[in-house]
Amino acid sequence: MKTSSAQAALGFSDRPGWDFGDYPYALEPLALPAPPRPVTLTAGALPSDAEEAVTRFLDEARHGFGTTDPVDADSLEQLFWFRWMIGHHVSFVIWRLLADALDDVTSGTGDQDAAAVRLTEYVRAYCGMLLYTGSSTRTVYQRTIRPSMYRQHSKFSGTWAPDYPAVRSLFRGRRPPPVVPARAPALLREIALTNQIHLGVASKLVERGRSLLQHAVLEGDIGSHRTWGAVFDCYFLTLRAPVTPLEVTAQLLRRHKAIAIDLATNGLYPDVGEPADPVPHELCDPAVAQCEQDLVAALVRTAALAAGRAPVPGTAGRAR
């Protein structure tokens, strides 16, 4: 019996090379349960076929997933739209994984050292996703991406994401999570780096470095919040459904593989003859450069943790 596209999108991949969407840089919807339902797999929850798929994914990641059709100046818009959408999908899942790990830390449930490691690795991967979604040229962002959000709502903002409230306090640094003391400095460094990268990307892409919502605040017009989450999900092709943690993990791995292939093919900042945008000072920090080089490896470490495995050292396929 032929597997439906919906089943394929929720399942683990068994094909080499690009297998996301119908062609390179195509999109698939993301299915997530509504918060606060957990998305983290419990210990020993993987059936044997899923175990095999995860093992295959991690083995392939060690050697690199290969490449696909590179972009040129005429297809930059398609690439950056793909990155904008899929990078946000991965961020949404990371937020949910972070929320689950925060629950473990605040409740004192399970191995607290392991929970602190998960928190740090997930924040590190989110730093990478900020760079990935923000890799667009300013021209493409201003011509295509920003107007698409404005057409949905003139005050469109990432803070409307239904999965964000559970991790808002973590990224704003108002109340550091009570992780084991030895792990706290590394976690706090990664949290600070997310804020630095976010400011740098905003400075690179947006006039005066402000989001649509920040402009709305200055104008004194915030509007009604009742439909914001639904508008946000519709824009980012995110469906709310009773999917299992196993299905969430499968979707995450599929996206990680597609991102790794994209970066192996095009690099984080494609060199196709377009003039380079000025780099804001926030993005000139050596810590940001290190995060760029670690982007693919951080994603694979996150995939391993999400699947109940230890992080994978020495992962191939850096963002060149």
Side-chain angles (χ1 to χ4, degrees):
M1 187 170 105
K2 188 174 180 180
T3 302
S4 72
S5 58
Q7 289 172 317
L10 293 173
F12 292 94
S13 168
D14 58 0
R15 288 193 294 145
W18 186 278
D19 58 0
F20 190 82
D22 292 329
Y23 47 83
Y25 318 119
L27 298 173
E28 293 179 358
L30 174 71
L32 282 178
R37 184 176 174 182
V39 299
T40 298
L41 284 165
T42 56
L46 284 176
S48 59
D49 57 341
E51 282 281 4
E52 292 174 7
V54 170
T55 299
R56 205 161 49 240
F57 172 91
L58 296 177
D59 286 345
E60 193 175 354
R62 291 186 179 94
H63 303 95
F65 292 106
T67 58
T68 187
D69 301 329
V71 298
D72 56 22
D74 293 333
S75 52
L76 270 182
E77 184 172 295
Q78 179 186 6
L79 175 70
F80 289 137
W81 180 252
F82 166 81
R83 290 184 176 185
W84 183 253
M85 299 298 285
I86 195 174
H88 275 87
H89 282 182
V90 172
S91 297
F92 304 158
V93 178
I94 288 173
W95 291 344
R96 296 294 290 273
L97 293 168
L98 275 168
D100 292 347
L102 283 170
D103 286 345
D104 289 345
V105 166
T106 55
S107 66
T109 303
D111 185 332
Q112 291 297 290
D113 189 71
V117 169
R118 295 202 311 276
L119 280 173
T120 305
E121 289 288 3
Y122 294 156
V123 175
R124 178 68 168 188
Y126 180 53
C127 287
M129 285 300 91
L130 288 172
L131 290 168
Y132 186 71
T133 57
S135 63
S136 171
T137 63
R138 183 165 187 157
T139 298
V140 171
Y141 182 83
Q142 294 288 349
R143 183 180 64 217
T144 301
I145 296 174
R146 186 173 174 85
S148 72
M149 292 184 288
Y150 192 91
R151 281 193 292 269
Q152 295 293 317
H153 195 294
S154 62
K155 282 68 174 183
F156 196 94
S157 168
T159 61
W160 298 357
D163 309 296
Y164 184 71
V167 296
R168 181 185 290 115
S169 63
L170 175 73
F171 289 117
R172 291 186 176 177
R174 292 176 177 173
R175 187 173 57 187
V179 298
V180 291
R183 298 289 185 183
L187 174 59
L188 295 177
R189 281 196 301 271
E190 297 301 331
I191 292 171
L193 187 59
T194 63
N195 291 303
Q196 179 180 333
I197 292 173
H198 190 272
L199 287 172
V201 169
S203 295
K204 173 191 168 190
L205 298 178
V206 183
E207 182 182 0
R208 299 192 302 277
R210 293 194 181 106
S211 70
L212 293 173
L213 180 62
Q214 287 171 318
H215 280 299
V217 171
L218 292 174
E219 294 163 7
D221 178 18
I222 300 300
S224 170
H225 68 276
R226 289 178 296 176
T227 61
W228 284 351
V231 170
F232 191 91
D233 277 349
C234 287
Y235 174 82
F236 280 110
L237 300 179
T238 304
L239 312 175
R240 298 295 164 173
V243 292
T244 66
L246 180 62
E247 291 169 326
V248 173
T249 301
Q251 292 177 96
L252 184 68
L253 267 61
R254 287 173 57 77
R255 283 159 176 77
H256 284 186
K257 180 180 176 181
I259 290 170
I261 293 175
D262 164 26
L263 292 172
T265 302
N266 301 299
L268 185 57
Y269 304 107
D271 183 9
V272 293
E274 292 285 302
D277 292 319
V279 181
H281 70 88
E282 294 95 342
L283 301 183
C284 294
D285 192 307
V288 176
Q290 185 180 24
C291 186
E292 292 175 347
Q293 291 296 312
D294 188 45
L295 197 159
V296 174
L299 287 181
V300 177
R301 293 195 303 269
T302 295
L305 288 167
R309 306 289 190 87
V312 181
T315 303
R318 287 182 171 185
R320 60 177 175 81

